[in-house]
Amino acid sequence: MGRKVTCPAGQWTAIFDHAFVQLPNAWTVSFAAGDGGTVAGEVEEKRSSWIFPNPPTTQPLQPVMNFRRGWWNTFYLVRVKPTRDVIAQIG
């Protein structure tokens, strides 16, 4: 099992925040609501290629999500803002 991150409702919580890492990697993250309800909210993913920033991408929070850091993503950030408390299980 991987690590768990508690993500409080209504605030941004970083799941990944990597700096100066240029090796590719991929993760599957499962989100579960603390009260057993539906998982909902936003996910923001920021990638940069050394000094060339890319605009952040946003998508709806899903129960299971896949994230991939590429070769040139020197700075990589994934953060979530759920509508209710959730636990992120990173595998």
Side-chain angles (χ1 to χ4, degrees):
M1 278 288 177
R3 68 183 173 96
K4 291 183 181 183
V5 177
T6 301
C7 307
Q11 68 183 47
W12 289 106
T13 301
I15 302 296
F16 303 107
D17 191 2
H18 303 159
F20 300 105
V21 178
Q22 292 181 299
L23 297 175
N25 206 340
W27 302 270
T28 299
V29 181
S30 300
F31 296 93
D35 62 3
T38 303
V39 172
E42 292 180 81
V43 176
E44 182 181 73
E45 191 172 18
K46 291 183 185 179
R47 294 182 173 96
S48 70
S49 301
W50 186 230
I51 59 171
F52 302 108
N54 293 313
T57 59
T58 58
Q59 57 185 313
L61 181 63
Q62 302 292 322
V64 176
M65 301 186 76
N66 295 303
F67 300 99
R68 184 180 180 283
R69 182 184 66 218
W71 277 106
W72 302 110
N73 299 138
T74 307
F75 299 97
Y76 182 71
L77 171 69
V78 175
R79 62 185 192 155
V80 299
K81 186 178 183 182
T83 57
R84 61 174 20 117
D85 293 350
V86 299
I87 302 293
Q89 177 71 47
I90 301 167

